[in-house]
Amino acid sequence: MEVYLVDGTYELFRAYFALPALESPAGKPVGAVHGLIQSLLRLIRENGVTHIGCAFDSVIPSFRNELFPGYKTGEGTPPELLAQFEPAERAVAALGVRVWPMVEFEADDAIAAATEQLRRDPVVERVVICSPDKDLAQLVEGERVVCLDRRRGETIGENDVLAKYGVAPASIPDLLALTGDTADGIPGLPRWGAKSTAAVLSRYGHLEDIPTNAPWDIPVRGAAALQGILLQEYENALLYRQLATLRRDVPIDALLDALLWHGANRAEYEALCEELGSERLATLPHLWAGEA
């Protein structure tokens, strides 16, 4: 059995910037919601999905903003996009997909928590995380927990993470701590570039295992300078890693019964399509809950 976990925030952003703007009969922006619905139904139909969950973080600031004021705030996000989170969450629920709307945490945390629950279930053969986000690569485990880049049609297992980033999945938070992540507002350490960081982490694994008072036993250009920077900025590096580490303890329901897809709820979904002003969307579901 495969379980699919969807980053709804990523999907909504992708639809917003990829598709033309649309308005509902009430004059509200709904183009990204249209795209999200079509994308989810295509995923379910083409992949034969039986179990699925979808996470959103419509309130973009999270507990990480309390740890580090420079963390992403959503500033600059188009208001026409922000306005579509609420109807998007309702749309996914009307499709019969389990929704996790995050407030204090992020969508990635919900996916991490769901993955942690599912990976312990012997019935689950594979968890498929539908996102190419580098942050989520830390959850990859062999070929049992993988990421799916739907746009490129690529499945990313543990060997793929190593080939792409130069480190194992468990070292992804350390990598982001050292090199930074502009999308999330993590500055990283000066002069720690992707190549040298990958070389160091492929040898030592994690921040606390990188020697700061003894020579490295691998050839890295400018090793002494990097070592000095790490020693000076060590506490910042630990904070940045905390920001980059996904929370696997978010209290969500990821039991298989909760994730089983029975089909769209006809009454809710058709009412939503009327609200969105789209007769075409109303014809797309291939299975209705409770109907033979």
Side-chain angles (χ1 to χ4, degrees):
M1 174 192 298
E2 291 187 335
V3 180
Y4 285 73
L5 303 177
V6 178
D7 182 346
T9 296
Y10 167 78
E11 290 285 345
L12 196 64
F13 267 76
R14 185 164 74 106
Y16 177 82
F17 289 106
L19 300 174
L22 293 174
E23 288 189 350
S24 70
K28 297 180 179 180
V30 294
V33 180
H34 278 241
L36 174 65
I37 291 172
Q38 294 176 74
S39 178
L40 280 180
L41 286 173
R42 185 164 56 250
L43 170 69
I44 292 169
R45 183 174 57 251
E46 293 180 356
N47 292 65
V49 174
T50 59
H51 293 76
I52 184 171
C54 183
F56 289 92
D57 45 22
S58 55
V59 180
I60 294 175
S62 68
F63 76 94
R64 292 179 175 86
N65 296 89
E66 298 177 4
L67 296 173
F68 182 60
Y71 194 72
K72 67 179 179 181
T73 62
E75 183 179 356
T77 304
E80 296 82 7
L81 172 55
L82 290 174
Q84 296 186 62
F85 272 90
E86 188 275 333
E89 291 178 6
R90 287 194 288 117
V92 174
L95 284 174
V97 173
R98 169 66 65 168
V99 179
W100 298 305
M102 295 293 101
V103 177
E104 179 185 354
F105 301 97
E106 298 180 47
D108 288 356
D109 295 313
I111 291 173
T115 299
E116 184 64 19
Q117 294 181 41
L118 293 164
R119 63 185 287 276
R120 297 196 299 261
D121 191 328
V123 176
V124 177
E125 297 172 350
R126 189 163 76 154
V127 178
V128 182
I129 300 169
C130 299
S131 173
D133 192 337
K134 184 191 299 184
D135 296 358
L136 289 164
Q138 66 189 266
L139 303 176
V140 171
E141 181 182 317
E143 293 297 323
R144 186 160 185 255
V145 178
V146 300
C147 289
L148 174 63
D149 184 342
R150 296 179 60 204
R151 186 170 63 86
R152 297 179 181 274
E154 295 177 352
T155 299
I156 303 166
E158 191 163 340
N159 289 336
D160 303 298
V161 172
L162 184 60
K164 186 172 184 178
Y165 302 113
V167 300
S171 295
I172 289 291
D174 303 85
L175 178 74
L176 296 174
L178 292 170
T179 63
D181 186 351
T182 55
D184 286 342
I186 300 175
L189 302 192
R191 298 182 62 177
W192 278 79
K195 187 175 181 179
S196 57
T197 300
V200 173
L201 290 176
S202 66
R203 168 62 181 86
Y204 297 110
H206 301 290
L207 294 174
E208 51 269 72
D209 298 321
I210 302 173
T212 54
N213 294 309
W216 294 341
D217 58 7
I218 52 171
V220 176
R221 184 177 181 180
L226 293 176
Q227 194 175 44
I229 292 169
L230 177 59
L231 184 62
Q232 182 178 356
E233 298 281 340
Y234 190 68
E235 292 303 317
N236 283 334
L238 291 178
L239 172 61
Y240 300 156
R241 184 176 66 179
Q242 184 179 2
L243 297 175
T245 301
L246 300 182
R247 290 282 297 271
R248 303 185 186 220
D249 59 346
V250 177
I252 62 171
D253 182 3
L255 297 176
L256 289 179
D257 286 348
L259 300 178
L260 179 61
W261 189 68
H262 298 280
N265 183 305
R266 185 183 289 273
E268 291 181 17
Y269 183 74
E270 289 182 347
L272 179 81
C273 290
E274 184 175 353
E275 177 187 329
L276 297 177
S278 175
E279 294 181 0
R280 178 178 174 275
L281 285 180
T283 67
L284 294 183
H286 58 284
L287 179 65
W288 299 102
E291 300 182 14

